[in-house]
Amino acid sequence: MGSLPPSQDRTVAAPLEPVPLAAPYPPTPNPPPLATPPVYTELQSNPPGVFTPSQRATSYAGTWNVSVGATSCKVQLTSVPSLDLYKASTQGCKDEAVRSVNGWSFRENQVILFSRGTVVGRLSGAEAALSGTLSGSGSEIRMSR
């Protein structure tokens, strides 16, 4: 093996200057303040003031004021499922059919009231007001919030 060349003047190299790294993304300037709020445009299926029935059963859950003839009471429609119906309860109802309501469903744009699996009445309308007839007597029933 060969020998190393004669010793030369060896100086210690100066440390390298740090090189600034480029940011991964260019900085984003602050957006200018908006003079007016953004306008969101949605297509309305109905003209203003025209309401259509809700398509979801849970939209009808809650406490309703019920009137049958000259009598009134309260019916609570819950969103708690019980087999293929939702649970319901009544308070202060004099009409026997309404007093026995213990379930309800929403089918074919109608709220259907049940008593132990038997249809008591069918109502239709919007989320704030429903009307229909009781199955046994044919009496008119109205429900409002």
Side-chain angles (χ1 to χ4, degrees):
M1 286 220 169
S3 63
L4 291 173
S7 173
Q8 296 178 356
D9 184 22
R10 293 187 185 182
T11 59
V12 177
L16 297 176
E17 255 184 65
V19 177
L21 297 176
Y25 299 103
T28 306
N30 290 336
L34 297 175
T36 58
V39 176
Y40 299 102
T41 57
E42 287 185 19
L43 295 177
Q44 289 185 338
S45 58
N46 297 315
V50 176
F51 301 101
T52 58
S54 174
Q55 300 300 313
R56 300 178 314 162
T58 55
S59 297
Y60 294 95
T63 302
W64 291 83
N65 299 310
V66 177
S67 63
V68 177
T71 65
S72 62
C73 63
K74 294 200 181 287
V75 171
Q76 176 74 33
L77 304 180
T78 71
S79 57
V80 177
S82 176
L83 298 174
D84 59 340
L85 302 176
Y86 294 101
K87 292 183 180 183
S89 61
T90 63
Q91 179 182 357
C93 297
K94 292 186 178 8
D95 184 280
E96 178 60 35
V98 178
R99 184 173 53 228
S100 67
V101 168
N102 64 354
W104 72 283
S105 69
F106 180 73
R107 297 181 194 144
E108 300 172 4
N109 294 324
Q110 289 185 327
V111 171
I112 305 169
L113 302 176
F114 290 89
S115 172
R116 296 182 268 299
T118 302
V119 174
V120 170
R122 296 176 183 272
L123 301 104
S124 57
E127 292 176 25
L130 300 168
S131 63
T133 56
L134 294 175
S135 298
S137 65
S139 300
E140 183 179 15
I141 179 172
R142 292 184 180 269
M143 293 175 48
S144 63
R145 295 199 195 233

